[in-house]
Amino acid sequence: MKITHTAHLTDSLERELLTKAMENQFRPHPFRAFGKVVRVLVAFTSSVRANARHNGMY
């Protein structure tokens, strides 16, 4: 949908868009969840390596 600065939302379209947005808010997103797990693991390993270097173990 292409929206220009002169476009107007009708009440029914606005309600429909808000309803869809609220429904999608609670829909599971497996790829986002997987990405979050990967980021947490990378941050954890980086932290462990930094602590090991700081303690002279690595």
Side-chain angles (χ1 to χ4, degrees), residues 1 3 9 12-22:
M1 175 183 345
I3 299 177
L9 286 177
S12 61
L13 179 58
E14 186 176 4
R15 276 193 296 272
E16 185 180 333
L17 290 172
L18 284 171
T19 301
K20 295 281 185 191
M22 288 191 301

Side-chain angles (χ1 to χ4, degrees), residues 2-9:
K2 188 173 183 178
I3 299 177
T4 64
H5 68 281
T6 59
H8 298 283
L9 286 177

Side-chain angles (χ1 to χ4, degrees), residues 8-49:
H8 298 283
L9 286 177
T10 61
D11 288 341
S12 61
L13 179 58
E14 186 176 4
R15 276 193 296 272
E16 185 180 333
L17 290 172
L18 284 171
T19 301
K20 295 281 185 191
M22 288 191 301
E23 288 172 358
N24 287 337
Q25 182 178 4
F26 298 108
R27 196 177 78 214
H29 299 281
F31 291 116
R32 289 183 190 170
F34 180 72
K36 186 175 181 180
V37 168
V38 169
R39 284 191 300 275
V40 167
L41 289 174
V42 167
F44 175 74
T45 55
S46 296
S47 172
V48 168
R49 286 183 179 172

